[in-house]
Amino acid sequence: MNLATKRSVHGQPSFLQLQLQSMSVYARSTGRRPKTKLYHREPGLDKAMDLRKKPQLLLRLRSLILAGERKSVLLRELEREVGFVKKWDFVDLVRRYPSVFRVSGGFGGRPVSVRLTEKAEMVSNEETEVRKLMEPILVKKLKKLLMMSMDCQIPLEKIDLIQSELGLEQNYKNILIPKYLEFFSIKKIKNSDYLCLENWDSSIAITSREENLNFKNYENTPFRNPKIVPRDGNIKGPFSFKLKFPAGFRPNKTYLEEIVKWQKMPFNSPYLNSRLVGPASPQARKRAVSVLHEILSLTVEKMLTSDKIDAFHNEYQLPCRLLLCLVKNHGVFYITNKGARSMVFLKEGYEGSSLVEKCPLMMWQDRFVALIGRSCLDLCENERILV
């Protein structure tokens, strides 16, 4: 199934389906064929989706092994956990990488079990220290998510939905939240558990977009003729976004002029209450782009599936036609259908297929994945460590 045939997250026709329908109506009414509008692919980001498949499988098997008795998992239990078909993907992984997985049993009626090798276990044990480094980062992320929401509260089931993407442990509700009761509380609201913000933190009420703005270099920037429109749509300003258009995209001057006008348009911060902005105004639409940008920037891989983003529609007053918003702002976001579900990337978070900025958790995962002989992405020159 390609992007044009996928349905939107609301079950309505996708933007590209509506586009194709309007083109056919135009053709019937005018007798002329309209100019085709293409959604340009980003080969680097599509490749990133392929590159993460094996690491995800490897880390999933590690989790199953550590969750088992004596830090091992029986093959027959593996089928119960992941299903008959998926089991063979894990079996193939065990066969291919004896440096990571050790197989025992299978003789004299003993069940076959899998555990980590000594070398793999050494790297695996580093997770304890990594989790300590992640703790202040995760507290900040949760505070920012709550501060952006309408009433500074989010249902716990929705936090659970993106806990792995944020870098949270499965038992974060019992380990992390009770340690920071000055910031968080869990309350029962309308028969549902909500994570609530206890104290507002003005020091972090700034978006990643604003943090990446280099105001210091404004005075040192050579004078640019205002009549000259930048070909990439990027301008320096307090309300501008970093745009990365696809290689095959060739915008005309009129389009770029509209982009520059949009870049200069002021809008309210995602950390200001959205009730203060008219929902149908251009400023509100640009603010929605900033909210989506901020949500994606808080994830460890700068990506989320479109259905998980839309799950927060009420909390963040996201656009009703989310897919249309993402497609229209294709200089900021990229949607790929390489996985089982449509994945939304924050473009500025990647250089080619490599993640630019990595938290300690991602760096540790890279070290574990490197055990299978795969080149570690932390060798990328463009990559920075987030601490």
Side-chain angles (χ1 to χ4, degrees):
M1 183 186 297
N2 58 34
L3 193 60
T5 60
K6 280 193 174 182
R7 308 289 289 184
S8 74
V9 291
H10 287 296
Q12 299 173 351
S14 69
F15 169 62
L16 295 184
Q17 282 180 312
L18 294 174
Q19 192 179 59
L20 292 173
Q21 291 172 9
S22 64
M23 287 169 60
S24 63
V25 171
Y26 177 91
R28 288 196 299 270
S29 61
T30 63
R32 290 179 293 171
R33 186 174 183 178
K35 183 182 288 188
T36 304
K37 295 181 180 180
L38 301 175
Y39 187 75
H40 294 271
R41 288 288 185 188
E42 291 278 8
L45 297 180
D46 285 338
K47 183 181 177 182
M49 285 294 293
D50 292 328
L51 289 175
R52 67 197 294 267
K53 290 179 181 177
K54 188 173 288 185
Q56 282 187 322
L57 206 64
L58 186 73
L59 293 167
R60 170 71 171 142
L61 182 53
R62 170 193 169 272
S63 297
L64 291 172
I65 289 172
L66 296 182
E69 293 183 11
R70 299 179 182 178
K71 294 185 178 181
S72 66
V73 62
L74 300 176
L75 285 186
R76 66 189 182 197
E77 291 177 353
L78 193 61
E79 182 175 330
R80 198 179 307 132
E81 288 286 341
V82 301
F84 177 77
V85 176
K86 196 71 176 177
K87 178 189 77 171
W88 297 109
D89 292 333
F90 289 104
V91 170
D92 183 58
L93 202 65
V94 171
R95 288 173 178 170
R96 281 172 176 255
Y97 304 110
S99 61
V100 181
F101 303 108
R102 187 175 67 195
V103 180
S104 59
F107 302 100
R110 292 175 57 198
V112 179
S113 64
V114 181
R115 64 172 61 245
L116 296 176
T117 62
E118 199 171 313
K119 184 179 179 180
E121 196 165 350
M122 284 179 60
V123 180
S124 177
N125 290 339
E126 294 176 10
E127 185 184 10
T128 304
E129 290 302 316
V130 170
R131 290 293 177 183
K132 291 179 182 178
L133 293 174
M134 284 295 297
E135 194 168 290
I137 298 173
L138 294 172
V139 170
K140 182 180 178 180
K141 286 183 179 183
L142 287 175
K143 286 162 68 176
K144 288 170 81 76
L145 282 173
L146 291 169
M147 287 166 64
M148 276 196 298
S149 65
M150 289 282 287
D151 300 305
C152 295
Q153 59 188 29
I154 299 175
L156 269 176
E157 61 180 11
K158 294 190 179 183
I159 300 292
D160 292 343
L161 193 65
I162 60 170
Q163 67 175 39
S164 60
E165 287 85 352
L166 293 174
L168 291 167
E169 292 184 271
Q170 286 190 345
N171 56 352
Y172 74 95
K173 286 172 281 192
N174 300 321
I175 294 180
L176 186 67
I177 303 301
K179 289 177 67 174
Y180 296 93
L181 295 179
E182 68 272 29
F183 300 135
F184 312 114
S185 63
I186 297 177
K187 298 178 181 178
K188 184 77 73 174
I189 302 174
K190 296 180 180 179
N191 297 322
S192 297
D193 289 330
Y194 277 69
L195 183 63
C196 304
L197 184 71
E198 289 299 307
N199 290 293
W200 184 270
D201 188 351
S202 299
S203 65
I204 63 171
I206 180 171
T207 63
S208 66
R209 180 195 66 83
E210 292 170 307
E211 288 176 344
N212 293 329
L213 288 175
N214 195 348
F215 290 101
K216 293 181 180 179
N217 288 342
Y218 280 5
E219 296 179 359
N220 301 325
T221 303
F223 176 77
R224 173 180 281 177
N225 189 333
K227 294 183 179 179
I228 299 177
V229 181
R231 293 184 178 182
D232 59 1
N234 285 301
I235 65 169
K236 288 195 173 183
F239 303 105
S240 62
F241 287 80
K242 183 178 180 181
L243 303 179
K244 297 176 72 174
F245 290 118
F249 182 63
R250 298 289 183 270
N252 56 34
K253 185 178 179 180
T254 303
Y255 180 88
L256 289 173
E257 287 173 345
E258 288 297 317
I259 287 292
V260 170
K261 183 180 177 182
W262 181 82
Q263 288 273 55
K264 293 178 179 179
M265 181 174 63
F267 64 96
N268 285 352
S269 167
Y271 293 102
L272 290 177
N273 198 313
S274 61
R275 293 187 179 94
L276 302 175
V277 186
S281 66
Q283 289 80 9
R285 289 193 288 270
K286 188 173 181 181
R287 182 186 180 277
V289 173
S290 184
V291 171
L292 291 168
H293 182 287
E294 186 72 352
I295 293 172
L296 290 171
S297 72
L298 293 174
T299 62
V300 293
E301 292 187 271
K302 308 300 183 279
M303 65 169 81
L304 269 177
T305 58
S306 57
D307 60 325
K308 289 186 178 183
I309 295 175
D310 196 58
F312 293 87
H313 177 85
N314 293 331
E315 285 71 25
Y316 298 123
Q317 295 293 287
L318 298 179
C320 292
R321 302 178 70 183
L322 177 62
L323 186 60
L324 174 59
C325 175
L326 294 168
V327 171
K328 285 183 69 175
N329 294 281
H330 62 123
V332 182
F333 312 111
Y334 176 62
I335 311 174
T336 180
N337 59 345
K338 292 286 287 185
R341 297 179 180 179
S342 296
M343 185 70 75
V344 182
F345 282 86
L346 181 62
K347 281 190 170 184
E348 70 178 56
Y350 283 80
E351 193 64 46
S353 58
S354 300
L355 194 59
V356 174
E357 191 176 79
K358 290 193 175 182
C359 64
L361 181 64
M362 291 297 297
M363 299 292 289
W364 166 73
Q365 287 182 355
D366 276 350
R367 290 196 294 275
F368 189 80
V369 172
L371 292 172
I372 65 176
R374 180 171 175 164
S375 59
C376 207
L377 295 182
D378 62 354
L379 298 179
C380 177
E381 293 181 358
N382 299 309
E383 188 177 275
R384 301 191 301 272
I385 302 175
L386 178 64
V387 292

